[in-house]
Amino acid sequence: MCGIVGAVANRNVVATLIEGLSRLEYRGYDSAGVAVLSGGAIERVRAVGRVANMTDKAEAANLSGQVGIGHTRWATHGGVTESNAHPHVSKNEVAVVHNGIIENHDEQRTRLKALGYDFTSQTDTEVIAHLIHFYHQQAPLLEATKKAVTELTGAFAISVISTKEPEHMVTARLGCPLLVGLGAGENFIASDVSAVLSVTRNVIYLEDGDVADIRRDGVTIFGKDGAEVKRKVHQSDVSLASLELGPYAHFMQKEIHEQPRALTDTIEALIDDNCFSPALFGDDKGEVLKQVDSILILAAGTSYYAALTAKYWLESIAKLPTNVEIASEYRYRESVPNPQQLIVTISQSGETLDTMEALKHAKSLGQNLTLAICNVQESAIPRASKLVFYTRAGAEIGVASTKAFTTQLVALFTLAATIAKLKGIISVENEQAYLAALRQLAGSVQHALNLEPQIREWAKRFADKEHALFLGRGIHYPIALEGALKLKEISYIHAEAYPAGELKHGPLALVDSNMPVVVIAPNDALLEKVKSNMQEVNARGGELFVFADADSHFTESAGVHVIRTPRHVGVLSPILHTIPVQMLAYHAALLKGTDVDKPRNLAKSVTVE
């Protein structure tokens, strides 16, 4: 959950490193640091807080070097202090940056202390610097790094520089993302492509176990067996404009408003072909999907709520038994493997460690029918899966997911309809009706975005509250969960979600005039049940905030506030009702003055367990 950048060039690379760290700041922002090789020594600048704090110190120090590494930290081992910030240095000769967690760091720390190494931080990373230095006393940096990583347990992406070999850097990955950026007479490394877009679009995605030697005139990569390997060069289609705020105040606001375009881009192939085809998940994949007799979805965070929504679609449309599990829990329990079960993993980044490890566990049990739903081309989870559906949300910078979530829902709905078609469950008329609903979705979402002024007024009633309750029924219950997550992660208001029918089984005890209750109330078969649940709240003096459809029969009254979204959009209603809860969270956070894009204690890409 950190960002790494590095460069080897014939020019001063400090500005490039700092720009790259600024673009990676969403991955971690407790502290930042840069180290360069200069005049036969390691020059290092670190600072607690945002990259801007470190930038000021680097400018004051007139930092300069042609080989360097940089890092933004999200604290795991040790508090948020300058001594715990990366890069970490050993004996003033080796500097290391690291993303991930070293599980055997205590064992290595004890060993290295016995060898005479002093530790100045509480981090697990410092053992990497000392371990590489230990082997580097007798071996070149490349060989020292290769040897050291074989003795590390856990997940890592690292980059190393040495005063003894100032012409290059060495980098390695296992379980955490890392790429190489290829330039003309200069080369780079980074946690994701956004960090190097200003200098190159040509990138190589390193694979698990890879160790790479990065020099000005070329890159040499060694696979997990130690032999030299060739990796495919990709040309990134991510635009720098997509990484800029433009007219918006925050990336979250920008990404909320980008959803009509993101949804349109995601369903473009469907609309072009005018059908649900297994080719959407990869060439000649129809036979794979026909084998499926049940589905298990593995995900974390917001993606888990997308999976809970999909369960309703997959069982009602495709008639397939579907289970949903939190990825970090699944791999640590005994389960009953089924080779005919489709394992679906969902991850915005394609690098979420819990989800990646859950996928590996499922495959180790012989469950090889695998599908990844992901927003990042060629990331680790899609590469490890038999089938892939790439959402086309574009770069999502805000920590709180918005457009990634709604495009995941489109992907999951597409999966349900495609399997149903393959199994002969839906008619041609049903298929065309679903396609028509998808075509209209972006327009309906735009209408929902137009509700922002009303939602902004509602947010004023939330900003001074400490708790909130979200209610939904059926397929809209996961949307209530998502709404509660959004509110708590960016406004720090404690929020919980329940199926509305569960109120009387406990949560109703919490309801009073100080706890706003948000209700997702579309005009569907459960509407009358929801209205009854609302009466339970109203009778106890609770204040209700109801998101209803335009054709629902709700009237405002004392303690009951109603905002009507566009007319009911049928089976895709969960996607539409996501938009208002996103905007409510955003505007409540604005009024509370929290950091909307970078909420405390959180990071975007979760590459630690």
Side-chain angles (χ1 to χ4, degrees):
M1 294 170 67
C2 308
I4 291 173
V5 65
V8 180
N10 285 312
R11 58 184 175 84
N12 183 11
V13 298
V14 172
T16 299
L17 296 176
I18 290 174
E19 180 180 359
L21 292 179
S22 296
R23 297 197 183 280
L24 292 175
E25 195 169 28
Y26 70 93
R27 300 178 69 99
Y29 38 86
D30 291 339
S31 58
V34 167
V36 295
L37 297 177
S38 179
I42 293 172
E43 300 291 338
R44 176 177 58 165
V45 170
R46 300 180 293 174
V48 169
R50 298 296 166 79
V51 171
N53 297 346
M54 185 273 296
T55 302
D56 291 341
K57 293 181 71 172
E59 290 176 351
N62 197 27
L63 197 66
S64 178
Q66 297 181 347
V67 175
I69 50 179
H71 187 271
T72 58
R73 181 174 186 247
W74 185 87
T76 53
H77 294 76
V80 181
T81 64
E82 186 172 315
S83 63
N84 286 332
H86 300 215
H88 288 285
V89 174
S90 180
K91 304 289 188 181
N92 295 317
E93 292 180 349
V94 168
V96 172
V97 289
H98 163 230
N99 181 17
I101 286 182
I102 305 304
E103 295 175 0
N104 62 337
H105 69 97
D106 281 337
E107 170 193 331
Q108 293 289 355
R109 183 182 290 255
T110 300
R111 172 194 171 194
L112 288 161
K113 282 183 176 179
L115 291 170
Y117 286 92
D118 295 323
F119 284 78
T120 61
S121 79
Q122 301 166 300
T123 69
D124 55 339
T125 301
E126 195 174 1
V127 303
I128 305 174
H130 293 322
L131 191 60
I132 292 174
H133 179 271
F134 175 71
Y135 288 118
H136 190 29
Q137 293 177 86
Q138 296 88 28
L141 183 62
L142 176 63
E143 298 307 316
T145 303
K146 285 183 177 181
K147 174 64 175 173
V149 298
T150 65
E151 299 180 7
L152 301 176
T153 302
F156 55 82
I158 62 173
S159 192
V160 194
I161 56 176
S162 166
T163 57
K164 292 181 179 179
E165 300 178 20
E167 72 282 356
H168 71 133
M169 74 173 67
V170 175
T171 193
R173 69 152 287 185
L174 182 69
C176 293
L178 199 63
L179 60 83
V180 177
L182 304 176
E186 55 186 24
N187 291 299
F188 311 89
I189 60 97
S191 295
D192 76 42
V193 72
S194 64
V196 297
L197 279 179
S198 64
V199 288
T200 183
R201 291 188 172 277
N202 297 318
V203 298
I204 296 171
Y205 295 97
L206 297 180
E207 298 188 6
D208 266 359
D210 282 357
V211 178
D213 186 7
I214 313 296
R215 298 174 182 267
R216 294 175 180 84
D217 57 355
V219 173
T220 308
I221 302 172
F222 303 88
K224 62 178 65 176
D225 62 356
E228 185 175 342
V229 295
K230 298 294 183 183
R231 301 289 185 218
K232 183 179 178 182
V233 178
H234 301 266
Q235 187 167 60
S236 174
D237 60 0
V238 176
S239 70
L240 277 172
S242 70
L243 305 176
E244 303 294 343
L245 272 173
Y248 296 98
H250 300 91
F251 279 106
M252 184 178 180
Q253 182 190 33
K254 176 176 184 270
E255 288 153 12
I256 288 172
H257 284 270
E258 285 176 341
Q259 285 174 111
R261 169 52 58 190
L263 293 166
T264 298
D265 289 346
T266 299
I267 66 174
E268 182 180 16
L270 280 167
I271 303 306
D272 287 348
D273 294 341
N274 199 36
C275 68
F276 292 98
S277 167
L280 294 164
F281 302 92
D283 295 336
D284 303 322
K285 298 305 181 184
E287 291 304 314
V288 174
L289 293 177
K290 283 180 181 178
Q291 298 175 50
V292 171
D293 67 6
S294 61
I295 292 179
L296 172 62
I297 311 179
L298 304 170
T302 286
S303 296
Y304 174 69
Y305 298 145
L308 290 177
T309 308
K311 177 180 171 70
Y312 290 89
W313 286 326
L314 288 160
E315 294 195 339
S316 64
I317 297 173
K319 309 301 181 187
L320 281 177
T322 301
N323 288 323
V324 179
E325 294 212 32
I326 293 172
S328 59
E329 292 293 319
Y330 165 72
R331 61 187 283 230
Y332 292 114
R333 71 172 186 84
E334 289 190 20
S335 57
V336 181
N338 173 9
Q340 299 305 114
Q341 186 175 60
L342 180 66
I343 304 296
V344 179
T345 51
I346 311 173
S347 169
Q348 190 281 139
S349 67
E351 304 283 356
T352 307
L353 186 62
D354 286 328
T355 307
M356 183 72 220
E357 293 302 319
L359 173 60
K360 289 178 182 177
H361 178 65
K363 292 170 70 174
S364 74
L365 298 176
Q367 298 192 247
N368 294 312
L369 300 180
T370 55
L371 163 66
I373 293 174
C374 179
N375 190 40
V376 179
Q377 297 276 336
E378 294 298 322
S379 49
I381 293 175
R383 290 201 307 268
S385 303
K386 192 178 292 289
L387 287 73
V388 179
F389 188 106
Y390 286 113
T391 59
R392 299 180 181 178
E396 189 179 67
I397 305 301
V399 167
S401 181
T402 51
K403 60 181 180 174
F405 176 73
T406 50
T407 54
Q408 285 171 355
L409 290 177
V410 166
L412 290 159
F413 177 80
T414 299
L415 175 65
T418 301
I419 293 176
K421 180 182 176 181
L422 281 172
K423 292 181 176 291
I425 295 171
I426 60 172
S427 65
V428 173
E429 290 76 16
N430 290 143
E431 179 182 21
Q432 291 304 309
Y434 290 153
L435 288 167
L438 285 168
R439 289 189 187 96
Q440 296 167 12
L441 181 61
S444 295
V445 167
Q446 185 58 59
H447 285 302
L449 289 169
N450 294 339
L451 299 170
E452 190 164 15
Q454 296 166 257
I455 294 171
R456 188 184 298 117
E457 289 301 308
W458 273 16
K460 295 176 182 178
R461 296 174 177 264
F462 283 74
D464 63 344
K465 305 299 184 188
E466 294 183 358
H467 308 279
L469 192 62
F470 284 69
L471 303 177
R473 293 201 75 147
I475 197 170
H476 294 86
Y477 165 53
I479 305 308
L481 287 165
E482 173 65 5
L485 175 64
K486 286 291 158 284
L487 186 66
K488 61 188 160 192
E489 68 183 337
I490 63 169
S491 74
Y492 316 146
I493 297 170
H494 172 244
E496 299 294 338
Y498 284 89
E502 281 291 291
L503 263 179
K504 54 188 174 292
H505 297 293
L508 199 56
L510 297 171
V511 171
D512 61 20
S513 60
N514 292 316
M515 176 181 277
V517 179
V518 179
V519 185
I520 313 297
N523 189 15
D524 61 11
L526 291 172
L527 179 59
E528 294 307 315
K529 299 290 186 184
V530 172
K531 287 182 177 179
S532 296
N533 303 138
M534 289 168 52
Q535 290 300 321
E536 297 169 3
V537 173
N538 193 242
R540 273 83 179 172
E543 190 170 14
L544 289 155
F545 295 83
V546 185
F547 289 116
D549 292 332
D551 47 2
S552 295
H553 300 291
F554 278 99
T555 55
E556 291 209 12
S557 60
V560 181
H561 313 281
V562 181
I563 289 178
R564 289 178 171 81
T565 61
R567 65 179 180 79
H568 185 52
V569 295
V571 71
L572 298 177
S573 177
I575 300 173
L576 184 63
H577 277 273
T578 299
I579 311 305
V581 297
Q582 292 174 349
M583 290 194 291
L584 179 62
Y586 173 73
H587 285 289
L590 279 187
L591 290 168
K592 288 182 70 70
T594 62
D595 192 332
V596 173
D597 286 334
K598 301 180 180 69
R600 67 187 183 200
N601 305 332
L602 300 178
K604 184 69 173 176
S605 185
V606 187
T607 55
V608 296
E609 190 175 355

